[in-house]
Amino acid sequence: MSVLLHNLSREREMENVHLAVEEEDIYSGYNDYNPTFDSEELENDVGFQQAVRTSHGRRPPMTAKFPGTAIGARPLATAFGARIPLASSMGRPMTGAVQDGAARPMTAVRAAGYTSSLTRGSTFDPLGQSKGPAPPLEGKNEDTPEEKIKILEKKVNDLIEESCMAQSIGALQLALEKAKEAGRKERALVRQREQSGNAEHINLDLTYSVLLNLANQYANNEMYPEALNSYQVIVKNKMFSNAGRLKVNMANIYVKQKSYPKAIKFYRMALDQISNAHKELRIKIMQDIGVVFVRMGQYSDAITSFEHIMSESPNIKTGFNLILCYYAIGDRERMKKAFQKLISVPLGIDDEDKYISSNDDNDSNMVIEAIKNDKLHQMERNLKVLAEKYIMTAAKLIAPAIETSFATGFDWCVDIVKSSQYIELANDLEINKAITYLRQKDFNQAVETLKTFEKKDSRVKSAAATNLSFLYFLEKDYDQADRYADLAMTADRYNPAALINKGNTVFVKQDYEKAAEFYKEALRNDSSCTEALYNLGLTYKKLNRLDEALDCFLKLHAILRNSAQVMYQLANLYELLEDPQQAIEWLIQVLSVTHTDPQALAKLGELYDSEGDKSQAFQYYYESFRYYPSNIDVIEWLGAYYIETQFCEKAIQFFERATLIQPTQVKWQLMVASCYRRSGNYQKALETYKDIHRKFPENVECLRFLVRLCTDMGLNEVQEYATKLKKVEKMKEIREQRVKSGRESSSRGRREGSAGSAETDVKAVSQPESQQTSPLLDSGRDSAHSSSTKGERLSAKMRSLPGSNEPYEASSPKEIDASYVDPLGPQMERPKTGAKRRVEDDDFADEELGDDLLPE
């Protein structure tokens, strides 16, 4: 072996030796190449062409016996003359060559579909499809105890989740049913574990979740005893960690049940079981304890809790509650200190300047736009609004109590606010000071206080001018109201309250088109301004644009669903549009909101009467009389109804009440006497007529009835009453002649036009007082047709009652003037001002009235 190696190395050395006599060829070697890279014979290579034609074909095995490529066709000789195939240019063994009688794999890493024992003639099947489908997966055996327990656990968790989801959408009953079902399943799960011998593996977390959810659902459905029992089961089980915190929930239930001593007991028990590491939770529990003490009237104990909170972790709500407690016990100095603490409570809110872009950086501007109205910023705004509300309410509450006069107290509060972070609230407090003067009926001081704002910034100036315009409008000083409305609009053109006040001043001057423009502008600035929409509807009604007015009030009804005023206006508009059925339906809705409104009841009775339904009309008229027995129109209708139905005895009580209301009107006393006569009680009728004669000795109708009665009854006074009747009739004729001659002489000295106007004036003055109303306050009386028809119908009825052949009823049409005047008109038709008539229902509702005269 060593000899062979020596000869081989000797040959290689000789190859590199060149004879000196030979000339060196510098271009030799360029045509020498490795036969592996010979591409000229590739077209004749069968194996290569087969591989090119298909990517899935298998190249024939390349062995020494059956060369399949150009590599195998060029054996390379060695020193021993042996012919072996050259595997590669680097001298590696050829892929697929037979070594030791076994076929090698084509690559070092076996590919998909190839095996080391691949033989000729086998098909290409990389996915193994020739072996048939895969056997099915083994199914789980659900009969085993472990699988049953897992399935049951999953059902319990699903039921808990469904219960919570039902609660979140408000389906409290469904949530409770799911919670109960989860409890039953969980108990079945525990029994199954015990039967299988796995009692030590009971899932305590699942049991805790089921019991807690069940207790919560009981509490949500106001089933407090059951909720307390469920909480008690959790609290008493020592295996549940931190179960003592649930005593807070139990205390909350006792608060709802107004068992305040028990609530405080459980709050304190929960407080004892919570470590100092949970500071915020302890503070909240102490705050609840203080609130319960307030409800019990134990203000000293409540003050102790609130003071501890303000020293440890001050917050706005606790500071406000502390001021209320000091106010309840009347401690002035501590009220001042508590107000100063309330002012200094940090809110933890960033400055608003960070939401204002100060440069041209597009990236930063995009970030600012993204966070300008996000949830965090909304929360900050709500917290600031809440803090301002508490501070304003506290200042209005304590200002009259901390000093000898409320003005001095307001000044102290204003000074404290000006030196704090809420400096913008100082002006609002000044305006509330003016409103307090209004409540005390001190209008001059209120006006003087508001006038001090004329030189301040535009927002405050506009608010003060709006309030001044409102005050002067109520005092009917429309020129001053108009002046300050203009001033408010100049300071802030987008102030809807100022625009409404301006529209009202134009409305009273009967310039309805211009008033409508101001109301429309107010709506453009604030689409939710209900006062502007209401007044716009009234304006359209005055302009006889009833469809547009109806549209306004229908929109307003969509906003104010329970407003009796809006529904009454809708009923009145449908009446004007000659749709009594719709008017009746809207009036019934009015009564659903205000069940005892006598004017709405009377109006409904009038509509049924016009429809001919006397029974329904009587029902509503009588209900109106029950709630308000002083309405002359209702009394008159009821009396006439009983006379018409031949129940004169029942009509007497109504006409007697009318006599008490209008003792100077002789017609009611005549009707009482007439009812006595109709019922056959002539003696009582005679006494009544005599009484009327003593009160009204010049009444011709009374004397005529006396003469007739005395004649029929054969009394001796007939001559006396007949003589008086003649004298009264003669005096009446003389008086009428004098009036007639005076009119004729005056008419000759005047021109025809002036005479006509004078006649009109006389007619206007001669109207009943109840019909002389201002243009602004005329509500349901826009329909002259309705009123006159009502009056003519009732007057004709009263005139026709005695019958044409009745000698005792010579009543003239002037006996009963039944023209209808809508008593609800002055309340309904007056345009609303910019002030909001809204009172918050809280502990200090009267103190919240400061917002009445302020625009939003």
Side-chain angles (χ1 to χ4, degrees), residues 547-568:
D547 291 331
E548 295 178 59
L550 185 65
D551 184 56
C552 289
F553 284 113
L554 287 174
K555 289 180 181 177
L556 196 59
H557 177 66
I559 301 172
L560 306 174
R561 304 294 299 180
N562 296 322
S563 174
Q565 288 184 337
V566 175
M567 289 187 282
Y568 179 85

Side-chain angles (χ1 to χ4, degrees), residues 48 167 201 229 299 423 614 637 680 708 716 731 748:
F48 179 81
Q167 178 195 351
H201 295 121
N229 291 336
Y299 299 111
I423 187 171
K614 297 291 183 182
W637 192 93
R708 297 280 181 151
N716 297 328
M731 290 175 61
R748 283 194 297 269

Side-chain angles (χ1 to χ4, degrees), residues 89-348:
S89 61
M90 299 301 294
R92 293 194 322 177
M94 178 181 172
T95 302
V98 178
Q99 294 181 1
D100 299 331
R104 291 181 56 218
M106 294 184 68
T107 60
V109 179
R110 183 183 303 171
Y114 290 90
T115 60
S116 58
S117 61
L118 191 64
T119 60
R120 294 187 65 182
S122 61
T123 59
F124 180 74
D125 188 15
L127 300 179
Q129 296 178 359
S130 60
K131 298 179 181 180
L137 298 175
E138 295 182 2
K140 290 185 179 180
N141 188 4
E142 297 183 359
D143 295 333
T144 61
E146 291 79 5
E147 288 298 326
K148 290 182 179 180
I149 289 172
K150 287 182 180 180
I151 293 173
L152 202 53
E153 277 188 354
K154 187 176 184 304
K155 288 183 179 179
V156 173
N157 283 310
D158 291 342
L159 286 170
I160 295 174
E161 185 176 354
E162 291 173 6
S163 175
C164 295
M165 293 299 294
Q167 178 195 351
S168 66
I169 62 175
L172 301 181
Q173 188 63 35
L174 178 62
L176 178 59
E177 292 175 1
K178 294 290 184 181
K180 289 181 178 178
E181 188 176 355
R184 290 192 293 269
K185 296 282 186 183
E186 194 273 335
R187 288 191 293 273
L189 175 63
V190 171
R191 287 195 298 270
Q192 193 164 350
R193 283 187 183 277
E194 291 175 350
Q195 291 174 2
S196 63
N198 294 327
E200 66 277 3
H201 295 121
I202 293 177
N203 192 344
L204 291 177
D205 292 337
L206 184 62
T207 305
Y208 181 85
S209 300
V210 169
L211 292 174
L212 179 59
N213 181 57
L214 182 61
N216 289 338
Q217 301 309 328
Y218 275 134
N220 293 333
N221 285 272
E222 298 182 359
M223 300 171 67
Y224 298 131
E226 293 84 351
L228 290 173
N229 291 336
S230 299
Y231 283 127
Q232 199 71 31
V233 171
I234 302 175
V235 170
K236 288 184 176 181
N237 195 332
K238 301 299 182 183
M239 300 179 69
F240 297 138
S241 59
N242 298 324
R245 296 185 181 184
L246 296 181
K247 291 181 179 178
V248 175
N249 295 14
M250 300 175 71
N252 292 337
I253 292 177
Y254 283 125
V255 170
K256 293 177 181 178
Q257 293 180 332
K258 297 185 178 181
S259 300
Y260 299 129
K262 286 186 178 180
I264 291 176
K265 174 184 176 183
F266 275 86
Y267 278 134
R268 286 177 170 169
M269 290 169 65
L271 198 64
D272 293 339
Q273 296 184 13
I274 296 175
S275 64
N276 293 328
H278 302 89
K279 182 179 178 181
E280 291 297 327
L281 183 58
R282 291 178 61 86
I283 290 295
K284 290 180 180 179
I285 295 175
M286 291 191 67
Q287 189 167 344
D288 291 340
I289 293 173
V291 171
V292 175
F293 275 129
V294 169
R295 294 189 179 185
M296 295 175 65
Q298 300 179 15
Y299 299 111
S300 300
D301 296 329
I303 288 171
T304 302
S305 297
F306 292 144
E307 284 181 342
H308 176 75
I309 296 172
M310 292 300 289
S311 62
E312 293 291 330
S313 178
N315 60 78
I316 290 291
K317 188 176 292 186
T318 303
F320 180 72
N321 290 337
L322 185 59
I323 291 176
L324 295 184
C325 292
Y326 287 144
Y327 180 82
I329 64 176
D331 194 332
R332 295 184 177 183
E333 294 302 322
R334 296 170 83 179
M335 270 191 278
K336 289 183 178 181
K337 293 180 180 178
F339 186 75
Q340 291 174 339
K341 288 182 180 179
L342 178 65
I343 289 288
S344 60
V345 170
L347 297 180

Side-chain angles (χ1 to χ4, degrees), residues 639-651 678-679 801:
Y641 174 80
Y642 278 119
I643 291 175
E644 185 180 3
T645 54
Q646 304 300 322
F647 291 100
C648 299
E649 299 87 350
K650 293 185 178 181
R678 285 172 172 277
S679 61
L801 287 176

Side-chain angles (χ1 to χ4, degrees), residues 431-727:
I431 292 179
N432 278 283
K433 179 181 176 182
I435 295 172
T436 308
Y437 278 124
L438 287 178
R439 291 201 188 97
Q440 297 180 353
K441 309 299 182 183
D442 193 348
F443 295 102
N444 294 329
Q445 284 292 337
V447 171
E448 290 298 324
T449 304
L450 291 172
K451 285 182 177 180
T452 59
F453 291 95
E454 293 185 10
K455 297 182 180 179
K456 294 192 177 182
D457 60 17
S458 59
R459 185 187 69 84
V460 181
K461 183 179 180 180
S462 178
T466 301
N467 293 336
L468 285 170
S469 175
F470 172 72
L471 288 175
Y472 283 121
F473 185 84
L474 293 180
E475 293 178 350
K476 294 184 173 16
D477 189 351
Y478 300 126
D479 293 334
Q480 287 291 337
D482 186 65
R483 173 175 170 267
Y484 279 102
D486 289 334
L487 185 62
M489 291 168 55
T490 304
D492 184 4
R493 183 68 187 186
Y494 299 98
N495 183 355
L499 291 166
I500 292 173
N501 287 342
K502 178 64 177 178
N504 291 347
T505 59
V506 177
F507 187 97
V508 296
K509 297 175 183 178
Q510 301 184 14
D511 190 353
Y512 301 124
E513 292 287 354
K514 194 172 181 180
E517 291 301 322
F518 283 112
Y519 296 142
K520 289 178 183 177
E521 187 176 353
L523 284 172
R524 284 194 293 270
N525 294 338
D526 183 6
S527 59
S528 63
C529 186
T530 56
E531 292 85 359
L533 191 57
Y534 186 96
N535 291 350
L536 183 61
L538 293 183
T539 307
Y540 283 143
K541 190 173 165 187
K542 285 292 185 182
L543 293 170
N544 203 27
R545 293 154 63 175
L546 300 181
D547 291 331
E548 295 178 59
L550 185 65
D551 184 56
C552 289
F553 284 113
L554 287 174
K555 289 180 181 177
L556 196 59
H557 177 66
I559 301 172
L560 306 174
R561 304 294 299 180
N562 296 322
S563 174
Q565 288 184 337
V566 175
M567 289 187 282
Y568 179 85
Q569 290 295 338
L570 286 168
N572 182 245
L573 283 169
Y574 278 115
E575 182 186 4
L576 296 177
L577 291 169
E578 298 181 358
D579 190 352
Q581 292 301 322
Q582 283 288 342
I584 288 172
E585 290 181 9
W586 281 106
L587 281 174
I588 291 174
Q589 290 192 38
V590 172
L591 292 177
S592 67
V593 177
T594 56
H595 311 284
T596 60
D597 187 346
Q599 310 301 341
L601 289 165
K603 188 67 177 177
L604 198 54
E606 177 194 346
L607 289 173
Y608 275 117
D609 185 26
S610 65
E611 291 292 298
D613 192 344
K614 297 291 183 182
S615 60
Q616 285 285 357
F618 171 76
Q619 177 185 348
Y620 286 108
Y621 270 123
Y622 191 76
E623 287 295 313
S624 176
F625 174 77
R626 284 181 56 235
Y627 293 119
Y628 183 55
S630 300
N631 190 332
I632 287 294
D633 297 317
V634 174
I635 292 172
E636 183 178 7
W637 192 93
L638 289 171
Y641 174 80
Y642 278 119
I643 291 175
E644 185 180 3
T645 54
Q646 304 300 322
F647 291 100
C648 299
E649 299 87 350
K650 293 185 178 181
I652 292 174
Q653 60 174 327
F654 294 102
F655 291 123
E656 286 179 344
R657 182 171 290 276
T659 302
L660 294 175
I661 297 171
Q662 294 181 348
T664 59
Q665 295 288 330
V666 67
K667 60 182 179 181
W668 307 122
Q669 300 181 43
L670 290 172
M671 290 305 301
V672 171
S674 176
C675 290
Y676 280 125
R677 183 199 55 75
R678 285 172 172 277
S679 61
N681 193 346
Y682 296 106
Q683 186 62 38
K684 188 68 176 177
L686 180 62
E687 293 176 2
T688 304
Y689 281 124
K690 287 181 179 180
D691 185 61
I692 296 171
H693 177 64
R694 284 192 297 270
K695 295 178 181 178
F696 304 95
E698 296 182 359
N699 187 271
V700 176
E701 301 297 330
C702 180
L703 287 171
R704 286 176 183 170
F705 294 145
L706 283 172
V707 170
R708 297 280 181 151
L709 277 174
C710 291
T711 301
D712 291 347
M713 296 174 68
L715 299 177
N716 297 328
E717 297 127 324
V718 61
Q719 189 61 38
E720 176 186 353
Y721 290 124
T723 304
K724 290 181 178 180
L725 178 60
K726 290 180 181 180
K727 290 181 180 180

